[in-house]
Each structure stands twice: as C-alpha cells, then as structure tokens.
Amino acid sequence: MAGSERDEDDRVRLPQLRLDELLEELQARIDAARGTRDRVHSLLEAVLSVGRELDLEQVLHSIVEAAAALVDAQYAALGVIGPDGRRLSAFHTVGVSEEAIARIGHYPEGHGILGELIRHPEPLRLAKLSDHPASYGFPPHHPPMNTFLGVPIRVRDQVFGNLYLTEKRGGAQFDEEDESVLSTLAVAAGVAIDNARLYEESRLRERWLRANAEITHGLMSGSERGSALALIAERAREITGAALAVVAVPVADTDALTVELAIGQDAESHRGLVVPVDDGLLGRAFTGVAPVTSPDVAHDDRAFPGPRRHTGLGPAVAVPIGSGEGVRGILLLVRKTGGNAFTDKEIEPLQGFAAQAAVAMELAERRQDAEQIAVLEDRDRIARDLHDLAIQRLFATGMTLQSAGRFIEHKEASERVLRAVDDLDETIKIIRSTIFGLRAPTGPGAGGTGLRARAVRVVGEAAPVLGFPPSVRMEGLLDTQVSREAADHAVAVLSEALTNVARHARADRAEVVLETDGRELTLTVEDNGVGIPAGGRRSGLRNMAERAEQLGGTLDVTGSAGGGTRLLWRVPAGER
C-alpha cells in the first residue's frame, strides 16, 4: 500500500516538473522576444534620430552615439575615408574625453585594424584586438581596448567610412545580433549622410550664387575694379574656408603678374609681388587657363619666388578669373597647414564663380567704355562748336575791330582797339589749346608706359645675367602718383643696381621692392651676396646717389641681415 502511494506521488510530481520547465522556457522566449522588440524599437529610434539631421557633422556625431547605444559599447568612433581611399580624413568619437584625446594626439590615419577595414570593407568582429595580425598596439595614453566590432558605411555603393565599436559593457563579447543591428544602422547612416551631403551642396551653391549676385550688383552700380576684386577674394575665402586669398593681375606690356590684393593670413608679405607667367601656381593657371592645385604650398617649389611666405599654410588652388583669351587675373586660395586638399567638387563651383565674376567685370567695363565714349563724343562736339562758332566769331570780331581802327583818329582810342584785337588773338589761342586738350587721349597709359611695366621689364632683362629671377614686390599707385622724372630715374637706378648684383655680388637671391604712398617713392634692392668690399669701385653708387640728390632724395647702402647688400633709394614721388 505504501509503495503504491509513492508511485502515485511520483506520477504527480513528474508532470509538475515538466510544466515548470516549459514555463521557464516560455518565459525565456518571452524575455527574448521582449528584448528583440526593445532592440528593434531602439534601432528604429536610432534610424529616425540619424535621419532627422541635415548638418553633416551633426549627422556623423548622431551615428556614433546611436551605434554605441545599440550594441552597448563603451567606445565608438566613425572614421571618414579621405579622397585617396587609403587614409582617414576625419575621426568622430564617443566615450573618450577631450582631455584624453589631447593626450593621445593626432587622430588615427587608418593603420592597423582601422586600415584593415579600409582595405577590406566587410564587417569585422574580434574577441581580442591584439590577436589580429594587422594589430600593432595603441599610442601612449590610449585607453585599453579588447573586444571589437567594425562595419563599413556605404553611400551610393561607395565606402564613405567605417564604424568602430570596442569594449562591450559587462565584459561580454559582440555577437552576430550586434553585428546585424550595426550593419542595419550603417545602411540608414549611408542614406542620412547622402541627404546631408546633398543639402550641404545645395546650400553651397546658394552661397556661390549670392556671392555672384553681390559682385554683379556692385559692379553694375559703379563700384571700382579694386573693390570688385576685393569682394571676389573675400567671398571665395569665406565659402571655401581658406586662410589666405590672393588676386594677381597681368602687368601691361609684360609677361608678368602682380599681386594686386591679398586678404587673410600673411597678406602683407604677398601684396605687390610680381611673378612670371611661365612658372609657379599663378603663372601656370594663367597660361593654362585652368585650375592648378598644390597639396602644400609651404614645400612647393612652384609657389612665389624669393623667401618663403607660406609659414602655417598648406593646400592651395589657383583659379583663372575668366576664360580663353579673356583671363583678367588669377584667384589663389590657401588653407592652413593640415587642412583638407581642394577637391574637384570644390574647384568646379569655384571655377564657375570666378568665370561669372569675370563676365560681370567685362559688362561693367563695357558700360564704363560706353560712358567714356559718350563723354568723348560730347567733348568732341564742344570742341567742334568752339572751333566752328566761337573762334570764327571772335576772329571776325577781331578783323572788324582791326579794320575800324584805321578810321579812329584819337590815338588813345586807337591803341585800346588794337589791345582789344590782341586780347582776342590771345583768347583764340587759349580756345584752340582747350580744343586740343578736349581731343587729346586720356586715361592711364595714354601718356606712355607706366613705371610698373617698365620696372618689370628691367627685372626680366636682368634675370638671364643674374642667373636667377629676382623676387619683385610693388605697392601703391606707381603709374599715377609718381612723376615722369622720378619714374625715369627709378628705372635707371633699378637697372644699375641689378647690374651691380650680377657683376660683383655673387648672389643667388635678390629681392626688389618698389613702393609709393603718394608722397615718396622708395626703391629697395637686397641680395644675399658677398657685400661691398672695402676700397671697391663706387662709380655706380655715386651715379645712383646723384640721381637721388637731383630729385631731393637720398641713397643708403647697408649690409643685409643675412649677408649681402641692401640698397635703399628714396625720392619725392611728385614734381618738385
């Protein structure tokens, strides 16, 4: 009897155990389904959050934050692959403080495991980073990292960058579900990045259009050419994020360009520089009528001649203002050291902006030409009327008075009439002189070649004798504020100074600076040669000093700071 009761209890207990196991399994599945539901909900929230932003930088930051939250990672990063397809051009992180980033140093460029994902853009999951053959450790002050999960982000079938997740919280490993969730987020991230890029491009086009409209309006409203060039340089610098903007224009009747204006970092050292059209960034852009780029002007031999002027400057692009034979100048934009190189996507709208600015300048000049023609036609009409009407009337009046004078018996009255006739003759001479002045050509260069062009020619002629092209810088209104006499003497002194450098200095560098403030003309010629020996011939220097004294100026010759000679010739700019 007792045995049968035990059997009965066992039969009751066995279904109860099976039921408990089933309930536990059901609860586990419910929990898993709830976890999956919550994770799907989190993924949807992350996708919506990422897609909500339009600013590219904010989109990238949102992607990193969402990735870290979805897979419960302590550290997350997004590396943007640069134009060369081999290195990272930007790095966005979550989990590492700003102080730690500063201690670590420059962001990764794509070596080790990060480079592995760049070379093989497929999901990569590691239990221990250091076990992978591509791993070679971390830089000093870098936090320790073991577990790793990386997935690529594609934008229109092109790899934009990679997501890197490390150190899953709680010491767990990243699993297949984490990889699947992160890969899904990467797809949504690619769409969000593409949208942000399109939005950024549309805003950039709008800024270029606004800048063009501003320049066109200013020119059509009568703004001076210099103001238009300054506006072109300033707007281009702002839109491209350049540190320095330079505008160089052709020097009349020469094969050279002069920097008419410079805005931004180290602008003072660039203003007035003269460069040949057959060399350098500016020259090649001018002769080739096409953009010319440099990854780093600080170490580019095609940059400006003479002393280095690009400290702290890096990537650059030179773009022609105009097209074909109508190139009006060159716009040079330079970013700071370490900045991104100018890409084709940036250069294309910049080129269009420069071409449109040239068209606006052309239209403004045509309008000014039309106004000038109207003025000249009016002056010609006035001259014709003076000649055909006023002079003829005065001449006839004079003849009448002269004839009438013979019938005047009173001596004093006769003398007064003759003086009146003489006055009429003098008046006719004045009017004829005025007519000549009205019909004479006017404007810059009408009276002969300007000082700027003459100086450039002298330097160009001296280059073969020197064995190198001197660096030239010109500032001020040299063609309008300097008298003809002072200009003639300055050209002669410049030629004599460069000849002395070629004959005696044994230099391999020379710098010429010609400038005026409207009151004084200053010519500086400096070389890095052997200097002036004691007891050497001084006839050339005496000639230069005499020319300065004739104009009421001075000549100073001293040693140069880096060895060599520095000649400073100063004279009044205008007529004495």
Side-chain angles (χ1 to χ4, degrees):
M1 187 70 181
S4 63
E5 287 180 357
R6 282 197 301 274
D7 292 340
E8 185 67 24
D9 289 341
D10 290 340
R11 283 196 295 273
V12 172
R13 191 179 298 109
L14 186 60
Q16 184 68 39
L17 290 172
R18 289 176 179 173
L19 181 60
D20 290 342
E21 290 174 359
L22 289 172
L23 287 174
E24 288 178 1
E25 183 179 351
L26 179 61
Q27 184 63 45
R29 292 190 177 186
I30 291 173
D31 291 341
R34 185 181 293 114
T36 302
R37 182 201 64 189
D38 292 343
R39 197 159 197 184
V40 169
H41 180 73
S42 298
L43 177 60
L44 290 174
E45 283 289 334
V47 169
L48 290 174
S49 174
V50 167
R52 199 176 293 128
E53 299 291 342
L54 285 175
D55 179 75
L56 182 58
E57 290 298 312
Q58 188 58 45
V59 167
L60 298 179
H61 188 71
S62 298
I63 292 170
V64 180
E65 287 186 331
L70 282 174
V71 299
D72 202 21
Q74 185 176 353
Y75 306 109
L78 192 158
V80 180
I81 300 175
D84 61 1
R86 298 190 299 272
R87 295 183 179 183
L88 299 178
S89 61
F91 206 72
H92 303 263
T93 63
V94 166
V96 183
S97 66
E98 293 294 331
E99 293 78 8
I101 293 173
R103 288 196 301 271
I104 295 169
H106 195 269
Y107 61 77
E109 294 185 352
H111 304 294
I113 296 296
L114 306 188
E116 182 71 15
L117 266 173
I118 295 174
R119 293 186 295 273
H120 306 287
E122 299 293 337
L124 178 63
R125 185 156 41 95
L126 301 173
K128 192 172 182 62
L129 270 169
S130 57
D131 290 342
H132 195 278
S135 177
Y136 63 84
F138 297 103
H141 310 295
H142 197 286
M145 295 179 181
N146 292 298
T147 55
F148 174 85
L149 175 60
V151 297
I153 297 176
R154 288 181 168 83
V155 177
R156 298 191 182 188
D157 297 327
Q158 288 187 342
V159 179
F160 172 83
N162 296 299
L163 275 171
Y164 310 108
L165 287 301
T166 60
E167 294 301 288
K168 189 175 178 70
R169 297 184 188 276
Q173 298 289 326
F174 293 109
D175 55 24
E176 291 183 4
E177 189 174 340
D178 291 328
E179 182 180 318
S180 176
V181 168
L182 202 60
S183 296
T184 304
L185 177 65
V187 173
V191 176
I193 290 169
D194 193 29
N195 289 337
R197 275 180 164 179
L198 292 173
Y199 177 70
E200 193 173 77
E201 288 175 6
S202 67
R203 288 184 61 192
L204 190 60
R205 281 195 297 271
E206 183 182 352
R207 292 184 69 186
W208 284 122
L209 289 172
R210 278 204 307 267
N212 266 322
E214 185 180 2
I215 292 165
T216 302
H217 179 268
L219 285 167
M220 293 297 103
S221 301
S223 295
E224 294 182 356
R225 175 175 167 278
S227 300
L229 290 177
L231 190 58
I232 291 170
E234 185 59 43
R235 293 295 174 266
R237 187 175 74 94
E238 290 174 357
I239 295 173
T240 60
L244 172 68
V246 167
V247 175
V249 297
V251 181
D253 302 323
T254 68
D255 292 328
L257 300 168
T258 182
V259 175
E260 186 160 319
L261 64 91
I263 301 172
Q265 184 174 321
D266 294 335
E268 284 294 333
S269 63
H270 291 82
R271 291 192 187 106
L273 286 173
V274 178
V275 296
V277 297
D278 57 354
D279 195 18
L281 294 175
L282 297 174
R284 293 185 184 186
F286 183 80
T287 54
V289 196
V292 178
T293 59
S294 171
D296 185 5
V297 292
H299 301 90
D300 195 334
D301 293 335
R302 300 174 302 167
F304 292 108
R308 291 291 181 184
R309 296 180 172 86
H310 300 292
T311 304
L313 296 174
V317 60
V319 179
I321 302 175
S323 59
E325 295 181 357
V327 177
R328 298 177 171 274
I330 300 296
L331 172 62
L332 175 70
L333 298 172
V334 190
R335 286 177 173 150
K336 290 184 177 180
T337 300
N340 293 328
F342 287 90
T343 63
D344 291 340
K345 283 189 176 181
E346 290 180 295
I347 294 173
E348 184 179 353
L350 174 61
Q351 198 172 1
F353 166 74
Q356 186 65 32
V359 171
M361 293 172 68
E362 177 79 18
L363 290 173
E365 287 181 8
R366 292 291 175 266
R367 180 180 59 80
Q368 291 174 355
D369 288 345
E371 293 175 354
Q372 183 70 11
I373 288 172
V375 170
L376 292 175
E377 287 178 346
D378 196 40
R379 290 169 65 174
D380 191 60
R381 179 188 59 77
I382 294 171
R384 189 171 57 250
D385 289 347
L386 286 172
H387 181 272
D388 296 344
L389 301 176
I391 287 182
Q392 298 304 322
R393 282 200 167 198
L394 288 172
F395 188 75
T397 302
M399 292 291 291
T400 301
L401 287 174
Q402 198 171 19
S403 299
R406 292 196 297 267
F407 300 102
I408 300 175
E409 296 179 357
H410 194 283
K411 183 179 179 181
E412 187 176 345
S414 177
E415 289 176 353
R416 287 188 178 184
V417 169
L418 291 175
R419 282 200 300 272
V421 171
D422 291 339
D423 288 342
L424 287 174
D425 287 339
E426 193 63 32
T427 302
I428 290 171
K429 290 179 182 178
I430 293 172
I431 293 175
R432 280 177 174 164
S433 177
T434 302
I435 292 171
F436 178 79
L438 287 170
R439 287 177 170 171
T442 59
T449 307
L451 173 57
R452 188 181 294 268
R454 295 171 67 191
V456 170
R457 276 199 298 272
V458 168
V459 173
E461 292 167 359
V465 182
L466 289 165
F468 59 88
S471 170
V472 184
R473 184 162 59 88
M474 301 186 192
E475 290 196 52
L477 302 175
L478 295 168
D479 292 339
T480 56
Q481 292 184 334
V482 178
S483 68
R484 182 74 183 190
E485 184 183 12
D488 290 342
H489 282 290
V491 170
V493 170
L494 175 58
S495 178
E496 181 74 21
L498 292 177
T499 301
N500 286 345
V501 173
R503 288 178 178 174
H504 311 298
R506 298 202 293 273
D508 59 13
R509 181 178 64 80
E511 185 169 10
V512 175
V513 180
L514 188 62
E515 54 191 341
T516 183
D517 57 3
R519 297 184 302 274
E520 187 177 59
L521 173 66
T522 303
L523 170 63
T524 306
V525 180
E526 187 172 355
D527 66 70
N528 66 342
V530 298
I532 300 177
R537 293 180 61 187
R538 307 280 175 142
S539 56
L541 294 178
R542 279 199 300 272
N543 292 337
M544 297 181 213
E546 288 174 1
R547 288 181 180 277
E549 290 170 3
Q550 288 178 25
L551 298 173
T554 59
L555 170 70
D556 293 316
V557 181
T558 59
S560 177
T565 305
R566 184 173 186 269
L567 181 147
L568 181 60
W569 190 80
R570 298 173 183 267
V571 295
E575 300 287 351
R576 289 188 296 163

